[in-house]
Amino acid sequence: MLPRPRLVLPLLVAMTAMLPDVSAQLSAPASLLKPVLEADGSAGFKAMQSLGYTPLFNGKDLSGWRNPYPHGEAKVVDGEIHLTGNDKFFLVTEKQYTDFRVSVEIHLPEGPANSGVMVRCHVDPTEKKAVFGYQAECDGSDRRWSGGLYDEARRGWIWPSTPGRSEEVFLLHEEKSKEAFAQPAIRDALNRNGWNRFVITCIEDRISIEVNGVNTVDFRDKTDAAGYIGIQHHGEDGQTYRFRNLFIKELPIVPASKTVDLTNQSPVSIEKIDDSVTLVDFGKVAFGNLSLRNPETGPYTGTIHFGEKLKEGRIDRNPPGTVRYGASKLNAGSGGQGTSIVAAPVHPRNIEQTGSKGSHPPAALTPESWQPVMPFRWVEIEGWPGELKAEDITRRAAFAKRWNEDASSFECSDPVLNQIYGLCKYSIKATTFAGVYVDGDRERIPYEADAYLNQLSHYATDDHVEMAAVTFDWLMENGTWPTEWAPHMVFMAHAEWMDKGDVDWLSARYELLKTKTLLQRSATDGLVRSGKLDQTKNDIVDWPKGERDGFVFTEINTVVNAFHIEAMKRMAELARAVGKEADAKAFQDRVAVAKAAFQKTLFDPHSGLYRDGIGTDHSSVHANFIPLAFGLVPDENVQGVVAWLREREMGCSVYAAQYLLDALFAYGAEAKAVDLIVADGDRSWKHMLDSGTTISWEAWDLKYKPNQDWNHAWGAAPANLLPRHILGAQPAEAGWTTVTIRPCPAGLTFAKGKVPTALGPIEIDWTNESSFQLDLKLPEGMAAKVNLPATHGSSGVWVGGEQVDATRAKGRWLLKQEITGSNRIEVK
């Protein structure tokens, strides 16, 4: 018999649902606000398998399940589990689980009904209440506490809590928890007369619950660490409770175990610092550890130091920010036989699955068989007997298994730009170590905006990109808190679809994306509102805070709304791709309403610029280049916004620079974009080069972000900007079947390179002198819409020596006919 613990550990985190105070009435169609579960569960079954879940129910019989009660009936009907009875009972799994994410779809009967999903529960058939423990509530009553956390047959309501049904410790948050469940998003999460998807995640002492994509609870409690999964019939005589698509994903997931390998690398130099210290340089920073051959001259006992940074010719043992240093002791044998694997100590934040203070998404773990890895370039070995030879020491560096160095290239007439491209391309390669796109080495956690920028650059540099889709699925289950980070999930899905053209992949994820558009925070005018908590914490604009160009936060925020509108635009495209025409039209209609309100309320006709928000006259660069990048600026206002941005220097972070430079390249200011990339001073990629780093930084300099790390791929934007804009290759249709070729010379005299695509590489070689000449080689199955710069005095465009039909507009020539195969195209 299992004991029934009564000890309640202190409350560590309780989620109050960071929802805004939206006073205006929502008008968005209900079908756009949350996932729609089809009447037929087969699509959902396929989707869960695509998302990497394992079925708990095979759809045919009750294998793996049992009823520990003498009453109640469970049977399989048309691929569903039906529970009937006249007294409460639970059907439970035969297997126990520890850390996991479980997904169950529930359909309540009409009339009085109450059900739920038990997690980490206990079973004692000798007791009247044979099943007890944590339960995610499915509440069919007018109380609407679906998604609440209940402790069945033990401590009662945990979150929300209520007198008479909760223990004293939980009543401390009664007001806050009831307030959370009164918020419309949580209160209305349940579809009372249809199917509902419950997702419960248990990681260590953290329990989180989602109902139809809405996070309802995030709580920490150490009472139970493992147990069974169960589903409930509440006991109403004659009522049938229906369950389907029961899936589980056991945690932790280690993505690198499938997609990343350790590569042996020899040092580029070995230097004897003094009689007791040898300095080894591997040339570039990589995430890894060491393999050391046992010394021939005798046993070795000493210390191995790892570092990313030198100081006065030695490894900096107290580096700034999150720049890494570590040291490990080694006791090795002698005789030159055998090797030792030496790894720096694990940094606690790199392996945390939930924080000791507060809750955060889990860190991406690396395989235990590797032993720990950390980013380092230099190694100092103390007291090595005799001479350390190159063959004695190897770095085992972690890179994506399928990384193809020859998949991409870029070269132009500016040698600094070439070096920056090399830095940024290597940054993408080096940060594939975790199998998902993580935020450098400070936490090793994927963040949505970081991941999207990383994804764009990965597509532009490699030809077998699986990591983007893996990271997308990770983030859909482990989202982070910033407002603008949620729409980046729509951007990620759209980019993956455009790159691969995989409609099946998209269909399995489309409904889940509906929670990422910020529609739940919008009002009748289509614009998103930001409550006090959003204005002070959740709305990011840029990061770190000092990079916001004095942005003034208000209830209606220009940057937030630009991201919201762009997310809905892309959702309309995705809806059409998966055959959801009604959704596509609804999203388009909503975009039209929001765009009209955006222009009317946020554009200042006197200055010709966008204000930061309603209630302020301040215009930051962000409030202007982000709408410009998303095509929200009407044609008659573009010139003024672009002219103003041309006069500004780099007024944003390395993250936001992706959008700033995209906007400048797209609207004829490519020379300014390149100037910003190669500028002198400490706010450019040239500054990173001059510092000697081999992986891009999280910020322009430590003085702008003192805790920054030196291995952050969101700082590698030129890896995608240069191929997409200088070479000019971007997909125009999903799967690269049609592309846009729009090179931007930016004052350069030549550029050439290779851009990887799903159909094969695009090869581009252009010169820009007295005329513009482009040699273009497209893979089979691809057609190009060609848009070329109109050189001074040019009168037309020639393809293969024959003049072709082309239209001149806004300083460029647009070819009427699409191009295929290999061609020389000239503007003259």
Side-chain angles (χ1 to χ4, degrees), residues 255 364 400 403 427-429 431-440 444-462 464-472 474-475 492 496 500 712-714:
W403 179 270
S427 299
I428 300 303
K429 176 183 178 180
T431 54
T432 59
F433 77 98
V436 288
Y437 303 139
V438 296
D439 68 327
R444 296 194 188 176
I445 291 173
Y447 285 83
E448 294 86 343
D450 307 49
Y452 175 61
L453 270 59
N454 200 333
Q455 174 187 23
L456 292 180
S457 291
H458 200 174
Y459 290 154
T461 52
D462 198 6
H464 288 99
V465 179
E466 303 162 338
M467 202 166 291
V470 175
T471 306
F472 175 87
W474 179 290
L475 280 165
M492 286 192 74
E496 175 68 10
K500 307 291 195 308
H712 207 105
W714 86 341

Side-chain angles (χ1 to χ4, degrees), residues 67-74 82-91 114-115 127-131 152 231-241 243:
N67 178 3
Y69 295 81
H71 58 271
E73 181 184 5
H82 287 194
L83 301 184
T84 57
N86 58 10
D87 196 0
K88 181 192 288 189
F89 76 99
F90 296 86
L91 192 70
N114 183 286
S115 186
E127 295 283 329
K128 181 179 179 181
K129 296 182 177 180
V131 175
E152 171 71 28
I231 53 178
Q232 179 191 32
H233 187 293
H234 198 249
E236 297 86 356
D237 192 11
Q239 297 281 51
T240 299
Y241 288 80
F243 303 84

Side-chain angles (χ1 to χ4, degrees), residues 553-567:
F553 289 83
T554 61
E555 183 187 16
I556 297 180
N557 172 321
T558 302
V559 170
V560 165
N561 275 284
F563 274 96
H564 168 56
I565 295 170
E566 180 65 13

Side-chain angles (χ1 to χ4, degrees), residues 400-412:
K401 287 182 181 181
R402 300 181 70 181
W403 179 270
N404 179 7
E405 193 65 30
D406 296 326
S408 62
S409 63
F410 175 86
E411 182 184 353
C412 71

Side-chain angles (χ1 to χ4, degrees), residues 342-364:
V342 189
V346 176
H347 194 283
R349 292 191 73 180
N350 292 161
I351 58 172
E352 281 186 339
Q353 296 301 286
T354 185
S356 57
K357 295 181 179 179
S359 292
H360 61 62

Side-chain angles (χ1 to χ4, degrees), residues 426-721:
Y426 178 73
S427 299
I428 300 303
K429 176 183 178 180
T431 54
T432 59
F433 77 98
V436 288
Y437 303 139
V438 296
D439 68 327
D441 200 50
R442 186 169 54 256
E443 299 170 296
R444 296 194 188 176
I445 291 173
Y447 285 83
E448 294 86 343
D450 307 49
Y452 175 61
L453 270 59
N454 200 333
Q455 174 187 23
L456 292 180
S457 291
H458 200 174
Y459 290 154
T461 52
D462 198 6
D463 58 2
H464 288 99
V465 179
E466 303 162 338
M467 202 166 291
V470 175
T471 306
F472 175 87
D473 287 346
W474 179 290
L475 280 165
M476 287 301 292
E477 296 174 347
N478 299 285
T480 65
W481 51 270
T483 295
E484 298 96 314
W485 277 206
H488 277 89
M489 293 305 297
V490 180
F491 298 0
M492 286 192 74
H494 185 271
E496 175 68 10
W497 171 62
M498 289 296 289
D499 188 67
K500 307 291 195 308
D502 188 342
V503 175
D504 289 339
W505 180 90
L506 180 61
S507 296
R509 292 153 179 82
Y510 167 77
E511 290 292 340
L512 298 175
L513 278 172
K514 289 179 177 178
T515 62
K516 302 297 184 179
T517 64
L518 306 179
L519 260 173
Q520 72 279 9
R521 282 174 48 176
S522 67
T524 53
D525 59 3
L527 297 181
V528 168
R529 267 57 177 180
S530 295
K532 292 180 180 178
L533 184 60
D534 297 309
Q535 293 176 45
T536 57
K537 179 182 178 183
N538 298 334
D539 295 354
I540 287 289
V541 174
D542 205 346
W543 196 258
K545 294 179 180 180
E547 297 286 12
R548 292 171 174 166
D549 192 33
F551 190 91
V552 177
F553 289 83
T554 61
E555 183 187 16
I556 297 180
N557 172 321
T558 302
V559 170
V560 165
N561 275 284
F563 274 96
H564 168 56
I565 295 170
E566 180 65 13
M568 291 195 297
K569 283 166 54 182
R570 298 194 195 190
M571 280 298 290
E573 292 183 49
L574 300 181
R576 187 158 287 113
V578 300
K580 305 271 187 178
E581 289 295 334
D583 278 5
K585 184 179 185 306
F587 276 120
Q588 285 178 326
D589 290 346
R590 191 70 176 176
V591 166
V593 170
K595 281 180 69 174
F598 186 90
Q599 186 65 19
K600 180 179 179 180
T601 60
L602 296 169
F603 184 73
D604 179 1
H606 300 292
S607 66
L609 301 172
Y610 289 87
R611 295 181 282 256
D612 295 346
I614 294 178
T616 178
D617 289 328
H618 185 263
S619 295
S620 65
V621 290
H622 304 73
N624 288 275
F625 69 70
I626 290 177
L628 188 65
F630 293 155
L632 291 175
V633 183
D635 288 346
E636 63 269 22
N637 302 134
V638 165
Q639 185 175 353
V641 172
V642 172
W644 184 74
L645 290 171
R646 284 180 192 267
E647 300 302 314
R648 305 294 298 268
E649 297 308 313
M650 186 66 78
C652 61
S653 73
V654 292
Y655 146 69
Q658 172 78 52
Y659 294 108
L660 169 62
L661 298 174
D662 263 331
L664 294 174
F665 276 118
Y667 289 96
E670 61 263 31
K672 175 66 175 181
V674 170
D675 285 347
L676 291 174
I677 293 171
V678 301
D680 292 323
D682 60 11
R683 298 182 65 78
S684 72
W685 280 275
K686 181 175 181 291
H687 175 59
M688 293 188 200
L689 272 183
D690 292 343
S691 75
T693 188
T694 59
I695 303 181
S696 55
W697 292 347
E698 184 183 5
W700 297 123
D701 194 82
L702 283 160
K703 73 181 184 183
Y704 300 113
K705 193 174 193 297
N707 70 337
Q708 77 152 320
D709 59 41
W710 277 10
N711 43 69
H712 207 105
W714 86 341
N720 76 78
L721 290 166

